[in-house]
Amino acid sequence: MSILTASGIRKSFRGNTVLHGVSLTIDAGEIIGLLGENGAGKSTFMNVLSGTLSPDAGVIQIDGSNVQFASASDGLAAGIRFIRQELSLMPSLSVAENILLGSLPKRRGFVDYTALRRRAAEILAEIGASHIDVDAEVGGLRLGEQQLVEIARAVSQRPRILIMDEPTSSLTAHEVEQFFGFVRRIAAAGTAVIFITHRLSEALSLCDRLVVLRNGTLVAERHPDEATRESLIVDMTGRASLFNYERRDDVRSQEAALEVIGASDGEGLSDISFQVQKGEVFGLFGLVGAGRTELLEMICGLRRCARGQIRVSGADAQKDRRGHLRAGVSIVPEGRKIQGIFPQHSVRWNLSAGTLRRTAKAGFISPSSEVEAMTKYRTELGIRMQDPEQLVGTLSGGNQQKVLIGRALVNDPQILLLDEPTHGVDVGAKADIYRIVRAEAAHGRTIVVASSEIDEIRAVCDRVGILSKGRLVAVLNHDGMEETAMLTHAFSHH
Amino acid sequence: MLLRLRSTFVTALGLREASVAAMILIVAAYLTYASAYFPEPRNLLNIGRQASVVGIVALGQALVIIARGIDLSVGSIIGLSAVAGAIVARETGVQGLSVPVALVAGLLCGLFNGWLYTRLRINPFIATLGTLSIARGIALLLTGGIPVTLSGFANFLGAGRIVNIPVSLILMVMLAVIFHILATRTVRGRDIFAIGDNPKAAVLAGIDLRGTRLFVFVLSGLLAGLGGIILAGNLASADPNLGMGYELDVIAAVILGGTSLSGGRGSIPGVMLGAILMALLNNAFVLLGISAYWQVVTKGLVILLAVGLDSIRRDASETD
Ligand SMILES: Nc1ncnc2c1ncn2[C@@H]1O[C@H](COP(=O)(O)OP(=O)(O)OP(=O)(O)O)[C@@H](O)[C@H]1O
Ligand SMILES: [Mg+2]
């Protein structure tokens, strides 16, 4: 029995058609995986279904009768809940308040905090996130936990259709597993689920049906049993592109580009020592909370190094001013929306923000170098956009990430720090990013990649350092990067 | 085609700037019809002179607001720096000292604001509210509440003319050009927009957050100092109450000109248009002989109108 039928949905932005007549039928209790490259139109399509955007043409029917949503609240009223790619939490409110905002339990006109906390804890337990403290301030949670809070909020009133745009991009493997259990339960209870992801294995294991969008057209509908990673990649991209790690002979020089010597930040990180050679790609792996992001922050100078030393190209970086990016170091932070982009400015502007200082003449911007940077990285990274003056905030999520990587590269750093560089990036672009990381390393750039994906570490890194609860417990070379070994080390301090 | 045309027009001027320009034209057209004196060169230049102080101070304010700050103290800095300049000139007997002393006084006030914000991490709204009171108080203490007479170069800046054009107007135009170049063509200008748009991202992109914040507050103070000495020079006297309430006109001009109060967006041409519109409205009330009280009400309405139109347009384009 179908709950929702969309047919012939068209949508364009200023003459640029993003959806070319897309049709989809959703049945109760079904889990649909929506796949497609960055910019394929997935989020736009879901915005239309949920009433956030109105389509230029096409019909949406709910329970067999036509509906026209004027806004997202109409969609909500019809039981459609959309969890966006970008989180929309109130950072200074507590977890419990965020989850039940809009329907706070009351007693005699006042908020009933006991009931609020109990209800919030129940919902969190339901989605398998009982480890989150309901009294914690949301702004202080790590990204993955925030994502779970967002999910908890969406399901606090059991929706008929639950749409999730890359809900798992920052979750740990364990959290994903718990969360999938929950998704299966609500589906069994009759909620239809649409699940957008770039992780094909997740889509294959969770979904009942896979739908692939390419350039705004529905190109394939597959049953997971008859699809494979490879066949889905071909559906999405029209080509079979996968990155293979090619073992390089030791092109690394013996020159140490980055030395971390007994560094502690006085909080989580303690006594961390390692060296990265010039031209090497060094991975940082660990469970959530292991301190990967914190370590990168310390290396780039934004976090205090209370004890120990950090040396960049032999020079002690200790004397650099605090709160300033260390010279010769660039970082692509985790969570691009909050930390990365300048949303009110164009793609060109965003890309060049890193390089301005280098190419400026007497403080004046050099327009030609801006254009140069633009054209080089637009093609090299395959950033999909209408034109360079487009606001970066209107690019699809994955393309925003490519802009950030471009910005860090254009800065020509000796050391490039990447924190979860392929979150929300499609398979094709992922392969592009891996290729670029390898190529940059081959040209003598030193790269540190923090990632929670073992496959990613294996694909790009020469060596990997494994963190467990703020300590560096092992450094493995490429041959030693086995899943069990890596996980065993990662759990060693737990 | 129409779309194309609209978008090139919008990029050339910006929609908000365009709507302020349209408002200026409407008010001017009406005044030409209603008052024979309005289109006279003498009157137009007078409007220009009135716009100049608001315009000059608004240049600094615009950068502060683009950087996601606000400077409420400019009115008091106007008063304090004018008084400081006049007193030093009187005590030393060197009238030429009034201008540099006023500029230094303004700069120091700006430095104080910047220090409160970047070192003590006091929210700029609160920090400059404090300075607003402190600076005014010092001006009153220095003079005992009695205006100090002023002559010399300050007079020339405030009331002088070159080929019939007010010196302060020429100064405003020159500064506007310089600030426009600063905002659009220099790294420092980019940094200002960047820290206003997303401060976290700015730090990660290697931008000196503190330095840039300090810079905009110092500039704002310096320009308020200049505004103060122009205003006092025009009156040939430095009143400790000079510039009282000016911050409102200045902030209004900045906002009218399309600067986003939440930072990251704004333009110098827009701010200049905003200052001109404010001066035009002042002039209109004088020419039409309407009560000054109505003037206060109308200023508020104009701001609401301009900002309201803008947010309606934004809403529309978001659901486009
Ligand atoms: N408000 C907007 N204005 C202009 N263009 C837009 C707007 N919103 C989306 N687009 C464009 O529509 C296209 C599809 O974007 P959409 O966000 O739907 O992609 P997506 O499939 O969700 O990609 P991703 O996997 O990267 O999230 C992109 O090229 C994007 O630039
Ligand atoms: Mg998307």
Side-chain angles (χ1 to χ4, degrees):
Chain A
M1 211 244 338
S2 74
I3 305 186
L4 184 144
T5 312
S7 35
I9 303 292
R10 298 179 63 86
K11 180 73 193 172
S12 34
F13 295 103
R14 277 179 271 117
N16 172 34
T17 307
V18 173
L19 297 174
H20 304 264
V22 182
S23 305
L24 184 69
T25 302
I26 304 162
D27 292 342
E30 192 183 21
I31 307 175
I32 299 179
L34 181 56
L35 306 176
E37 288 185 289
N38 293 135
K42 303 181 295 294
S43 300
T44 306
F45 185 35
M46 292 304 113
N47 274 322
V48 170
L49 289 192
S50 62
T52 316
L53 291 174
S54 47
D56 300 339
V59 182
I60 299 176
Q61 292 183 319
I62 290 187
D63 301 325
S65 47
N66 284 9
V67 288
Q68 243 167 1
F69 295 144
S71 70
S73 48
D74 289 358
L76 268 181
I80 303 177
R81 218 41 229 240
F82 182 19
I83 306 175
R84 264 155 231 289
Q85 221 165 342
E86 308 85 29
L87 303 179
S88 57
L89 301 169
M90 319 276 152
S92 52
L93 294 186
S94 75
V95 169
E97 287 164 328
N98 264 287
I99 292 176
L100 291 166
L101 207 66
S103 58
L104 295 174
K106 292 198 187 82
R107 238 176 59 194
R108 294 192 219 102
F110 292 98
V111 176
D112 180 352
Y113 279 97
T114 328
L116 171 70
R117 299 175 59 241
R118 195 185 50 235
R119 181 83 192 93
E122 280 165 16
I123 298 169
L124 282 173
E126 212 178 322
I127 64 168
S130 42
H131 59 283
I132 298 175
D133 176 9
V134 290
D135 296 323
E137 201 171 276
V138 159
L141 300 181
R142 69 178 171 79
L143 209 57
E145 290 169 336
Q146 294 190 7
Q147 222 160 21
L148 288 169
V149 173
E150 180 93 34
I151 292 166
R153 177 161 76 177
V155 301
S156 65
Q157 281 134 352
R158 183 59 43 93
R160 294 189 68 197
I161 302 179
L162 178 62
I163 304 174
M164 301 182 285
D165 201 344
E166 295 185 38
T168 56
S169 62
S170 314
L171 301 189
T172 62
H174 179 70
E175 285 169 337
V176 168
E177 210 170 283
Q178 297 279 309
F179 171 61
F180 280 5
F182 163 74
V183 173
R184 291 196 185 96
R185 281 197 301 279
I186 55 165
T191 299
V193 177
I194 303 181
F195 176 57
I196 300 180
T197 186
H198 289 295
R199 296 183 180 173
L200 300 179
S201 50
E202 287 184 355
L204 284 167
S205 73
L206 179 71
C207 301
D208 303 320
R209 181 155 60 111
L210 300 173
V211 188
V212 181
L213 265 182
R214 192 200 303 168
N215 291 330
T217 312
L218 236 165
V219 292
E221 276 206 46
R222 309 260 176 226
H223 194 272
D225 293 342
E226 57 205 33
T228 61
R229 269 183 71 84
E230 287 68 30
S231 75
L232 288 173
I233 290 171
V234 175
D235 285 337
M236 284 162 59
T237 62
R239 66 196 152 103
S241 78
L242 265 182
F243 183 85
N244 285 316
Y245 179 88
E246 289 149 30
R247 233 206 110 108
R248 296 178 304 158
D249 302 322
D250 231 354
V251 290
R252 289 182 269 146
S253 62
Q254 289 312 310
E255 196 184 317
L258 172 69
E259 293 166 84
V260 179
I261 308 160
S264 309
D265 68 347
E267 295 168 46
L269 300 174
S270 61
D271 195 23
I272 292 180
S273 301
F274 62 92
Q275 274 196 9
V276 185
Q277 258 64 42
K278 185 162 184 289
E280 184 180 29
V281 183
F282 189 84
L284 285 177
F285 179 77
L287 303 176
V288 164
R292 284 168 297 170
T293 299
E294 291 76 6
L295 181 54
L296 289 187
E297 281 174 3
M298 200 158 88
I299 295 171
C300 75
L302 295 177
R303 175 177 283 268
R304 200 163 70 99
C305 176
R307 243 171 312 117
Q309 258 188 20
I310 292 176
R311 300 166 78 87
V312 175
S313 300
D316 190 354
Q318 224 65 55
K319 290 164 209 81
D320 286 352
R321 284 193 288 168
R322 219 192 307 153
H324 284 253
L325 213 57
R326 209 154 263 169
V329 181
S330 272
I331 182 166
V332 175
E334 183 186 20
R336 61 184 163 264
K337 180 77 188 296
I338 318 153
Q339 315 215 20
I341 61 167
F342 298 111
Q344 299 183 64
H345 290 97
S346 68
V347 176
R348 175 179 57 76
W349 205 98
N350 266 273
L351 255 181
S352 63
T355 182
L356 286 179
R357 242 155 291 281
R358 241 174 13 93
T359 55
K361 295 185 183 69
F364 281 86
I365 293 162
S366 140
S368 61
S369 71
E370 263 199 297
V371 174
E372 225 169 83
M374 184 68 230
T375 42
K376 176 157 181 236
Y377 286 100
R378 178 184 189 168
T379 46
E380 200 161 307
L381 294 169
I383 300 170
R384 201 181 291 192
M385 61 184 156
Q386 282 163 270
D387 68 290
E389 298 309 317
Q390 189 177 351
L391 291 188
V392 79
T394 65
L395 288 187
S396 75
N399 281 303
Q400 294 181 7
Q401 182 71 0
K402 291 187 197 170
V403 170
L404 277 186
I405 292 178
R407 178 165 85 208
L409 282 177
V410 88
N411 206 6
D412 196 21
Q414 291 164 38
I415 297 177
L416 176 63
L417 308 176
L418 302 172
D419 197 355
E420 299 287 4
T422 60
H423 267 179
V425 170
D426 69 47
V427 273
K430 214 167 179 171
D432 289 343
I433 289 173
Y434 294 166
R435 187 178 43 70
I436 289 161
V437 168
R438 297 298 331 184
E440 292 291 328
H443 286 125
R445 209 183 302 287
T446 308
I447 300 170
V448 181
V449 183
S451 175
S452 52
E453 291 176 40
I454 292 180
D455 286 341
E456 179 158 298
I457 298 274
R458 266 208 294 250
V460 292
C461 299
D462 296 308
R463 288 188 303 150
V464 61
I466 298 176
L467 290 168
S468 184
K469 287 254 165 104
R471 291 169 184 279
L472 186 70
V473 289
V475 176
L476 307 175
N477 56 25
H478 195 257
D479 296 330
M481 289 183 200
E482 269 180 311
E483 185 159 350
T484 40
M486 286 173 71
L487 285 174
T488 313
H489 285 302
F491 273 109
S492 60
H493 279 263
H494 281 260
Chain B
M1 181 58 215
L2 198 70
L3 219 116
R4 210 356 95 67
L5 202 72
R6 198 184 87 163
S7 69
T8 49
F9 178 65
V10 167
T11 43
L13 201 55
L15 203 79
R16 176 77 84 79
E17 287 94 320
S19 62
V20 177
M23 267 199 247
I24 291 177
L25 289 180
I26 292 168
V27 175
Y30 176 71
L31 286 175
T32 314
Y33 157 81
S35 156
Y37 179 65
F38 172 76
E40 297 233 336
R42 243 173 70 92
N43 184 50
L44 292 180
L45 289 173
N46 208 24
I47 296 174
R49 209 192 52 230
Q50 280 175 1
S52 65
V53 174
V54 171
I56 287 171
V57 182
L59 287 171
Q61 184 76 255
L63 296 188
V64 170
I65 292 181
I66 290 171
R68 228 187 242 195
I70 190 149
D71 187 350
L72 298 177
S73 65
V74 288
S76 297
I77 298 179
I78 287 176
L80 177 58
S81 41
V83 164
I87 288 181
V88 171
R90 186 187 63 193
E91 297 302 317
T92 58
V94 187
Q95 282 298 332
L97 275 181
S98 64
V99 175
V101 167
L103 293 181
V104 170
L107 186 138
L108 289 176
C109 291
L111 207 57
F112 181 62
N113 281 331
W115 178 76
L116 290 174
Y117 181 25
T118 60
R119 293 284 152 180
L120 302 190
R121 296 171 182 279
I122 300 176
N123 171 303
F125 191 95
I126 310 294
T128 58
L129 195 61
T131 309
L132 177 145
S133 195
I134 296 170
R136 181 67 68 198
I138 295 176
L140 289 165
L141 283 173
L142 285 177
T143 55
I146 300 154
V148 185
T149 53
L150 191 66
S151 60
F153 188 55
N155 253 181
F156 173 70
L157 281 185
R161 285 164 190 275
I162 297 176
V163 237
N164 222 7
I165 299 175
V167 175
S168 58
L169 183 60
I170 297 174
L171 206 58
M172 176 188 86
V173 172
M174 275 170 22
L175 285 170
V177 171
I178 293 172
F179 271 69
H180 182 60
I181 292 172
L182 171 74
T184 56
R185 299 252 185 280
T186 69
V187 176
R188 185 62 99 174
R190 279 291 175 89
D191 290 354
I192 293 169
F193 280 88
I195 69 171
D197 197 358
N198 187 345
K200 261 195 181 148
V203 172
L204 292 173
I207 291 168
D208 178 1
L209 191 65
R210 264 191 195 165
T212 309
R213 282 179 173 163
L214 195 63
F215 176 78
V216 291
F217 275 98
V218 167
L219 262 188
S220 177
L222 181 67
L223 289 174
L226 179 61
I229 202 68
I230 291 174
L231 216 51
N234 186 25
L235 302 168
S237 128
D239 187 320
N241 284 317
L242 196 70
M244 189 91 89
Y246 241 71
E247 58 278 354
L248 277 186
D249 278 29
V250 168
I251 293 170
V254 171
I255 300 300
L256 274 179
T259 310
S260 161
L261 253 185
S262 50
R265 203 162 48 86
S267 80
I268 299 299
V271 172
M272 289 298 99
L273 289 174
I276 291 170
L277 181 58
M278 296 304 286
L280 202 59
L281 287 174
N282 282 338
N283 188 250
F285 285 96
V286 176
L287 288 188
L288 301 177
I290 303 172
S291 139
Y293 303 148
W294 273 112
Q295 179 176 344
V296 181
V297 174
T298 310
K299 266 190 205 167
L301 289 176
V302 167
I303 295 166
L304 294 181
L305 184 70
V307 178
L309 281 178
D310 186 62
S311 32
I312 289 169
R313 176 185 66 87
R314 283 167 151 266
D315 279 356
S317 74
E318 258 153 37
T319 51
D320 236 10

